[in-house]
Amino acid sequence: MRMPDFQFICEWMLEETGILFRDEDRGFVESRLYDVAAERGMFTVDELMDEYRGNKSPKLEREIMDSLVNDETHFFRNFVAFKHLRHIAIPKILETRGETDEPLRLWCAGASSGQEPYSISIMYHEAMPALKKIGLEIWATDISQTLVNRGIAGRYSTQEVSRHVPDKIIRNHFRRKKGAWQIDPLHQETVKFLRLNLLGDWSDLPKFDIILLRNILLYFSPQAQQKIVEKLHEHLLPHGRVMLGTGESFECKDDYFALVSEPDAALYLLMN
């Protein structure tokens, strides 16, 4: 990959998404763009970039952006965080939020292809009978429409499911369909998927009891992190919590949140 093209991609992704690529990410970027080129019948990334620079096709732009979004995820990733939600965070929220007819509302930001929100839905339907009286609404967003579409479809390979999901859970919450595992429709009803750029407009989002931003901020520049943190507090209910990845913290100026749990989960609440 030509260095000017790599620099162009880095600057473009930073401006459009806030995602920061460094020199050591050049191999990752080139590999992902090669796949896009191959799908279009091209033999090199140079051909792809010449095509993109030549006509700035919105479709090709979206394909390039989608290819460069980190899609690393799996069901019940860092299981201790799910235990913390079930046994500590959610019970505390239910104690403090007061009387309301609203369901518990949770947002998985950077949800990739849906494994995290579906894991929470499985936990809810499998092991949280008290919460069922209240109801749970899960919003799942990602900047990649390709990943959002995968989440909506709810179909996963044998490797994606069998490596991280116990057999009992597979039997209760998935079914075989054309060589893949299909999530039970019950969970597709629980999880609402939406394409969202975290640096873009959040006006379609309600306020949440819990916002999961696990292993997401580390991909953003400090300036982008600052913008995201400043918007988070506007979409969190007064008793709400923000959960980052284990050991993560806000690496930018933060006047809104206080850390309330460590090391099981980096859980933050709004400061009064």
Side-chain angles (χ1 to χ4, degrees):
M1 183 179 190
R2 298 171 300 212
M3 180 54 75
D5 287 337
F6 175 66
Q7 292 171 338
F8 171 82
I9 287 292
C10 291
E11 292 169 5
W12 172 65
M13 286 292 289
L14 184 62
E15 181 179 353
E16 293 294 322
T17 70
I19 295 173
L20 179 63
F21 288 115
R22 301 173 176 84
D23 289 345
E24 56 265 31
D25 298 317
R26 186 175 175 182
F28 168 82
V29 171
E30 184 169 9
S31 173
R32 290 299 182 93
L33 293 185
Y34 179 81
D35 291 341
V36 177
E39 289 176 4
R40 286 178 162 258
M42 301 174 185
F43 295 99
T44 66
V45 174
D46 293 349
E47 289 180 80
L48 178 73
M49 292 306 300
D50 289 342
E51 170 74 15
Y52 174 64
R53 287 176 179 270
N55 61 33
K56 294 290 180 70
S57 158
K59 183 175 185 297
L60 178 54
E61 184 174 275
R62 180 59 52 81
E63 288 176 17
I64 291 173
M65 183 181 289
D66 281 5
S67 75
L68 295 174
V69 174
N70 191 299
D71 56 359
E72 181 183 352
T73 186
H74 59 73
F75 286 99
F76 298 102
R77 184 180 183 184
N78 186 18
F79 186 68
V80 69
F82 291 88
K83 291 176 65 177
H84 193 100
L85 281 174
R86 176 186 172 189
H87 296 293
I88 299 176
I90 290 177
K92 283 187 177 180
I93 288 172
L94 295 180
E95 285 177 10
T96 57
R97 77 175 193 154
E99 292 293 328
T100 176
D101 293 331
E102 292 291 317
L104 190 77
R105 193 168 285 119
L106 186 150
W107 173 26
C108 295
S112 189
S113 46
Q115 286 91 326
E116 179 180 75
Y118 282 140
S119 294
I120 295 170
S121 180
I122 289 170
M123 180 177 72
Y124 161 63
H125 288 288
E126 182 79 16
M128 304 187 74
L131 185 56
K132 285 192 174 182
K133 300 174 184 176
I134 299 165
L136 177 66
E137 182 179 293
I138 303 173
W139 289 57
T141 69
D142 200 276
I143 193 173
S144 168
Q145 188 64 54
T146 301
L147 293 175
V148 167
N149 291 344
R150 278 204 69 206
I152 292 171
R155 294 186 68 195
Y156 301 96
S157 69
T158 297
Q159 183 179 25
E160 287 175 305
V161 173
S162 62
R163 285 180 60 190
H164 305 286
V165 183
D167 289 343
K168 178 186 174 184
I169 299 297
I170 294 175
R171 290 194 302 270
N172 290 345
H173 299 277
F174 294 85
R175 56 188 173 85
R176 292 291 287 176
K177 184 177 181 180
K178 296 180 180 179
W181 287 103
Q182 176 70 49
I183 193 78
D184 191 287
L186 177 68
H187 303 296
Q188 291 172 300
E189 295 171 5
T190 304
V191 181
K192 173 184 175 68
F193 284 91
L194 182 72
R195 182 185 180 273
L196 182 81
N197 184 341
L198 288 175
L199 289 191
D201 181 16
W202 292 16
S203 60
D204 288 338
L205 300 180
K207 290 196 173 187
F208 295 94
D209 298 279
I210 302 174
I211 298 175
L212 276 75
L213 203 65
R214 300 196 305 148
N215 308 302
I216 301 297
L217 290 179
L218 58 92
Y219 295 106
F220 288 86
S221 69
Q223 295 81 4
Q225 288 189 30
Q226 186 70 49
K227 292 178 181 178
I228 293 169
V229 169
E230 289 174 358
K231 294 163 84 171
L232 279 176
H233 83 282
E234 299 174 359
H235 286 270
L236 194 67
L237 292 166
H239 56 265
R241 303 286 193 274
V242 174
M243 178 178 275
L244 305 185
T246 300
E248 280 190 295
S249 62
F250 292 118
E251 298 296 333
C252 55
K253 184 175 180 291
D254 169 30
D255 298 324
Y256 305 106
F257 300 99
L259 184 65
V260 293
S261 70
E262 186 72 20
D264 286 350
L267 201 67
Y268 291 79
L269 53 73
L270 276 173
M271 291 190 291
N272 296 325

